[in-house]
Amino acid sequence: MAVTRTFSIIKPDATRRNLTGAVTKMLEDGGLRVVASKRIQMRKEQAEGFYGVHKERPFFNDLVAFMTSGPVVVQVLEGEDAVARNREIMGATNPADAAEGTIRKTFAESIEANSAHGSDSDENAKIEIDFFFTADEIVG
C-alpha cells in the first residue's frame, strides 16, 4: 500500500468540548500523521461550498448551521491508505453503528454532531484538501 493523504475535520461539537487533542491522538495512534492543521471558524459561504454536493438534501441547511456554530479544526492526514485508515478510525457515520474505540463511538453526541468528518475517496480528499489548504501550508 502507498502512503497517501486524506482530509479531516474535527467538528464543532468536539472543539466545543475541548476534544481536539484527544481526537488528534486517536488519529495519530491509528497510524496517521498530521501534515497540516488549522483551527478556523467556517463561514456560511465556506460551509455551503464545501457541502454543496448535499445542497438538495433536506439536512443541508442544518448541516451548514452546525458546521458554522463554532470553530473546527481542518487537517491533512498522511499514512498508508489514508482515506480508508481515517474512516476506520472515525467509525460509522451513525455513532450507534460505530465500532468500539472509534472517534464517533467515543465522542459523538448524535449522527450530525459526530465529532469528525473524513474524505470518502482519494479523489474527494484532494478536492477537500485544496478547498482549505494551499500547497505551502502542507508540510511533513
Side-chain angles (χ1 to χ4, degrees), residues 52-75:
V53 67
H54 300 302
K55 191 168 185 73
E56 301 305 318
R57 301 243 175 117
F59 60 82
F60 178 74
N61 289 331
D62 289 340
L63 177 60
V64 168
F66 171 64
M67 292 303 291
T68 59
S69 69
V72 299
V73 176
V74 293
Q75 297 180 315

Side-chain angles (χ1 to χ4, degrees), residues 86-103:
N86 184 43
R87 295 187 72 74
E88 184 179 324
I89 296 165
M90 283 190 312
T93 301
N94 184 343
D97 300 331
E100 289 297 328
T102 61
I103 291 168

Side-chain angles (χ1 to χ4, degrees), residues 24-124:
T24 300
K25 181 173 179 6
M26 290 177 80
L27 295 167
E28 291 177 332
D29 287 351
L32 296 170
R33 189 164 66 108
V34 178
V35 295
S37 180
K38 56 186 170 183
R39 185 180 187 94
I40 63 169
Q41 176 66 53
M42 204 180 298
R43 297 181 319 279
K44 182 179 180 196
E45 299 76 26
Q46 275 181 306
E48 288 173 341
F50 186 76
Y51 289 106
V53 67
H54 300 302
K55 191 168 185 73
E56 301 305 318
R57 301 243 175 117
F59 60 82
F60 178 74
N61 289 331
D62 289 340
L63 177 60
V64 168
F66 171 64
M67 292 303 291
T68 59
S69 69
V72 299
V73 176
V74 293
Q75 297 180 315
V76 180
L77 308 173
E78 189 175 81
E80 293 285 331
D81 198 13
V83 169
R85 187 73 197 116
N86 184 43
R87 295 187 72 74
E88 184 179 324
I89 296 165
M90 283 190 312
T93 301
N94 184 343
D97 300 331
E100 289 297 328
T102 61
I103 291 168
R104 290 173 172 160
K105 187 66 159 190
T106 304
F107 298 123
E109 296 177 320
S110 68
I111 194 166
E112 179 183 74
N114 63 12
S115 300
H117 162 89
S119 301
D120 62 3
S121 68
D122 288 333
E123 296 76 25
N124 282 340

